[in-house]
């Protein structure tokens, strides 16, 4: 399987030597589960938007320091591409920024949450079990770094999991779009360093709580297994 990675941000330069850039993070994690996976990268943040929906088997977005409501030409162009993928029935996995972008592109609403920043490890309940959730467990705990949230679902979406802090954490749209607010590609070390870098922005008390949360286990590998099962199912249904 070849996955097209829609890169929407770079790791901050001061963190890149220790942690790599986002494409390396995704490749490390996903190839740990399936070494045969290949990634092709499009730097959407530089205006590099794919011109061929069928260039890869499935698409995936990275997160971003930008917001989906920011007035930037590449975000508008990527939103159009998301709608084209939807119309074509092509699989798309939205991670954080991408989760929010697919909601906005298909008629939902994204806004800054009055609950403030989510950082560290988030703890979520699965409220609707899907057949691709193998192996099954009733919770999904992933690392996060976000202020925006999906506040209103698009018509095609259903929420599969969330929390009081982020009710729309995991959502499925139709049979070929899947969005998650968390970052399976983050490591605890990167999350800790990112919180330290953004402490003045996020708030020091929120960062302290985020750092404390890192003592719990992360469901990164489980999320990858779910994503790959979802994508393979979507590809099979399209053929």
């Amino acid at each position: 399987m070849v996955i097209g990675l829609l890169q929407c941000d770079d790791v901050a330069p001061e963190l890149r030597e220790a942690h790599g850039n986002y494409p390396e993070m995704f490749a490390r994690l996903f190839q740990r589960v399936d070494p045969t996976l290949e990634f092709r990268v499009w730097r959407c943040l530089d205006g590099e938007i794919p011109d061929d929906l069928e260039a890869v088997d499935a698409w995936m977005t990275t997160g971003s320091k930008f917001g989906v409501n920011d007035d930037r030409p590449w975000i508008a162009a990527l939103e159009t591409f998301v709608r084209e993928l939807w119309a074509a029935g092509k699989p798309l996995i939205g991670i954080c920024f991408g989760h929010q972008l697919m909601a906005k592109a298909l008629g939902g609403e994204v806004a800054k949450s009055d609950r403030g920043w989510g950082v560290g490890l988030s703890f979520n309940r699965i409220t609707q079990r899907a057949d691709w959730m193998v192996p099954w467990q009733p919770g999904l705990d992933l690392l996060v770094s976000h202020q925006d949230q999906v506040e209103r679902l698009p018509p095609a979406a259903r929420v599969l999991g969330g929390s009081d802090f982020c009710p729309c954490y995991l959502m499925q749209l139709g049979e070929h779009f899947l969005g998650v607010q968390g970052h399976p590609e983050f490591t605890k070390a990167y999350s800790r360093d990112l919180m330290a870098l953004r402490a003045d922005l996020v708030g020091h008390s929120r960062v302290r709580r985020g750092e404390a949360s890192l003592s719990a286990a992360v469901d990164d590998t489980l999320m990858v297994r779910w994503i790959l099962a979802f994508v393979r199912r979507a590809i099979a249904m399209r053929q």
Side-chain angles (χ1 to χ4, degrees):
M1 186 192 303
V2 181
I3 296 175
L5 190 65
L6 303 168
Q7 187 176 349
C8 302
D9 199 4
D10 287 308
V11 169
E14 53 265 60
L15 302 183
R16 211 172 298 165
E17 184 176 349
H19 303 288
N21 209 343
Y22 291 120
E24 289 75 38
M25 289 185 187
F26 278 94
R28 277 198 300 264
L29 174 63
F30 277 76
Q31 289 169 353
R32 197 170 72 210
V33 175
D34 183 351
T36 69
L37 287 176
E38 297 179 30
F39 283 88
R40 289 183 58 192
V41 179
W42 279 259
R43 285 185 58 84
C44 297
L45 74 161
D46 293 334
E48 187 184 3
I49 308 297
D51 56 9
D52 180 8
L53 304 182
E54 304 299 334
V56 294
D57 298 305
W59 297 91
M60 184 181 301
T61 69
T62 71
S64 182
K65 62 176 171 287
F66 302 103
V68 298
N69 296 317
D70 290 353
D71 184 18
R72 292 178 179 266
W74 71 267
I75 295 177
L78 185 56
E79 187 175 331
T80 297
F81 182 68
V82 167
R83 284 192 286 267
E84 291 170 354
L85 291 175
W86 173 257
K90 192 75 176 178
L92 173 65
I93 305 300
I95 306 295
C96 190
F97 172 88
H99 165 78
Q100 297 164 9
L101 188 67
M102 62 170 55
K104 181 174 183 283
L106 298 182
E109 218 169 83
V110 175
K112 292 194 186 305
S113 173
D114 58 10
R115 304 174 189 88
W117 278 86
V119 293
L121 189 59
S122 66
F123 302 91
N124 302 276
R125 302 175 299 276
I126 299 299
T127 53
Q128 285 194 40
R129 182 175 179 177
D131 58 6
W132 44 265
M133 292 177 176
V134 179
W136 161 251
Q137 71 176 40
L140 180 66
D141 304 337
L142 296 173
L143 295 163
V144 295
S145 183
H146 69 103
Q147 189 175 18
D148 289 358
Q149 294 194 29
V150 175
E151 297 290 346
R152 182 172 60 81
L153 291 172
R158 58 190 177 109
V159 175
L160 304 181
S163 66
D164 292 339
F165 179 81
C166 183
C168 180
Y169 190 84
L170 181 68
M171 69 175 179
Q172 180 174 338
L173 300 92
E175 299 299 331
H176 60 293
F177 273 28
L178 179 66
V180 63
Q181 184 58 65
H183 285 272
E185 79 283 7
F186 279 15
T187 63
K188 288 183 179 181
Y190 178 68
S191 177
R192 184 178 290 108
D193 287 350
L194 186 62
M195 282 189 282
L197 185 67
R198 294 179 172 175
D200 290 341
L201 178 65
V202 172
H204 291 269
S205 62
R206 182 59 59 94
V207 166
R208 286 197 298 273
R209 292 198 295 274
E211 289 172 339
S213 73
L214 298 181
S215 61
V218 183
D219 294 322
D220 50 357
T221 301
L222 175 72
M223 188 71 239
V224 172
R225 294 188 188 282
W226 284 7
I227 286 172
L228 293 180
F230 177 86
V231 168
R232 290 182 176 119
R233 178 180 176 273
I235 290 171
M237 293 178 69
R238 191 171 183 251
Q239 290 172 344

